Amino acid sequence: MNFAEQFSLSGKVALVTGASYGIGFAIAEAMASAGATIVFNDIRQELVDKGLEAYKAKGIDAKGYVCDVTNEEQVNELIAEIEKEVGVIDILVNNAGIIKRIPMCEMSAAEFRQVIDVDLNAPFIMAKAVIPSMIKKGHGKIINICSMMSELGRETVSAYAAAKGGLKMLTKNIASEYGKYNIQCNGIGPGYIATPQTAPLRETQADGSRHPFDSFIIAKTPAERWGDPEDLGGPAVFLASDASNFVNGHILYVDGGILAYIGKQP
Ligand code: NAP
Ligand code: GCO
């Protein structure tokens, strides 16, 4: 294999969860550019249809399925259907996620559980469903989309931080338990990325000024900008490729330097 081929995903099947748009879509697009066959799921048919149109517009012949990643029965049916229709999954990207921004003491236990269910339990369910075939095939790549909140807390995101902190450790544990089968499990920790999930934090104020949180993030980021979903494509391709076969249990932070920086003096 020549050096460049190490980064190729040709012949590989990549499943990206929650990838009709946002970070998942950008990661899937990059993996398609590296040669992967793209499969994605979303929670509603209209979202899957929207995603299929978006992939087609990019010249990507993706396959989309409706599946709630928190539902183990649906997930097992999804994996069986993909294996029958497309092939064994070589690369799993656990991207689907939600956030609820509520002060902890005002958050109900049900709301807390819902975030944990999607952001932590679902990656467990998805990984458990794909690993047996990866073991049979002799290789596999699992990439969990973590967060700044895998390392840091902030007001109103207790459930999300607990989930993403847990996802960091689940990543390390999958790496530890299944590395002997040539399965690498790593995480990507995006910084603050301009997607629908963070749109409320970037809304222009009534007086035309920037959202205070928007200005805060700019001051905390050495790159002095929000990330774009496309900033995550290269790191994801690296972790999905043979170039990272000895990288295991690592969380690759793609954050413009936030975690390294105390922040700009006001
Ligand atoms: P997003 O725009 O909210 O997209 C999340 C996707 O996941 C949506 O397509 C959503 O579908 C889907 N999803 C949610 N619950 C699902 C379920 N139960 N089953 C299947 N699909 C489900 O989020 P994003 O900003 O692209 O973020 C993607 C991932 O990156 C998330 O894990 C997020 O926590 C993480 N992340 C984001 C940032 C950021 O700054 N944006 C930074 C760090 C990490 P619906 O539209 O139907 O809900
Ligand atoms: C928030 C944001 C963050 C980002 C991301 C940062 O409310 O603080 O939504 O949580 O989504 O996780 O890495």
Side-chain angles (χ1 to χ4, degrees):
M1 181 188 303
N2 68 40
F3 182 76
E5 284 170 347
Q6 289 184 58
F7 294 87
S8 170
L9 303 183
S10 294
K12 300 288 176 61
V13 175
L15 168 59
V16 186
T17 66
S20 292
Y21 56 89
I23 287 172
F25 182 87
I27 286 176
E29 186 182 2
M31 289 186 172
S33 299
T37 296
I38 299 304
V39 182
F40 73 101
N41 75 293
D42 226 307
I43 201 162
R44 299 191 304 273
Q45 188 60 53
E46 61 268 31
L47 269 177
V48 170
D49 294 343
K50 172 185 162 190
L52 287 170
E53 282 173 29
Y55 286 111
K56 190 175 178 184
K58 296 278 187 177
I60 299 169
D61 181 21
K63 285 202 175 303
Y65 298 83
V66 176
C67 176
D68 176 348
V69 293
T70 66
N71 182 313
E72 190 165 24
E73 187 180 347
Q74 285 187 29
V75 167
N76 290 333
E77 287 168 5
L78 169 73
I79 302 307
E81 200 168 351
I82 293 169
E83 290 188 355
K84 189 172 69 177
E85 295 180 0
V86 184
V88 169
I89 293 159
D90 300 288
I91 302 156
L92 168 67
V93 181
N94 278 312
N95 166 79
I98 62 171
I99 191 168
K100 290 184 183 297
R101 299 184 182 95
I102 305 168
M104 196 190 82
C105 290
E106 296 168 27
M107 179 179 265
S108 70
E111 288 167 326
F112 190 93
R113 285 194 196 96
Q114 189 185 357
V115 175
I116 298 292
D117 213 17
V118 179
D119 295 3
L120 180 57
N121 293 343
F124 157 76
I125 290 168
M126 291 299 306
K128 200 175 110 180
V130 301
I131 283 172
S133 294
M134 288 180 171
I135 291 173
K136 286 188 191 120
K137 200 166 184 182
H139 67 252
K141 296 282 188 180
I142 298 172
I143 300 168
N144 294 322
I145 306 301
C146 297
S147 163
M148 295 289 94
M149 276 53 219
S150 297
E151 302 293 343
L152 303 170
R154 84 173 185 87
E155 298 79 3
T156 76
V157 295
S158 59
Y160 185 82
K164 293 298 188 180
L167 186 56
K168 174 177 76 171
M169 289 314 301
L170 176 62
T171 300
K172 292 173 184 282
N173 213 77
I174 293 170
S176 305
E177 198 164 355
Y178 294 97
K180 59 178 170 280
Y181 299 108
N182 191 28
I183 293 171
Q184 292 84 47
C185 182
N186 293 287
I188 287 177
Y192 280 83
I193 312 295
T195 72
Q197 191 247 52
T198 55
L201 305 175
R202 290 178 283 109
E203 282 166 355
T204 303
Q205 304 299 280
D207 65 2
S209 63
R210 296 183 87 142
H211 189 296
F213 197 88
D214 185 355
S215 305
F216 169 66
I217 289 303
I218 299 298
K220 290 286 282 182
T221 309
E224 295 188 346
R225 68 173 175 89
W226 284 72
D228 295 315
E230 290 71 27
D231 287 317
L232 299 161
V237 168
F238 165 65
L239 289 177
S241 73
D242 290 330
S244 62
N245 283 350
F246 205 54
V247 178
N248 206 11
H250 182 73
I251 313 298
L252 178 55
Y253 287 100
V254 184
D255 66 354
I258 293 179
L259 288 178
Y261 185 39
I262 196 169
K264 191 181 297 303
Q265 182 180 349

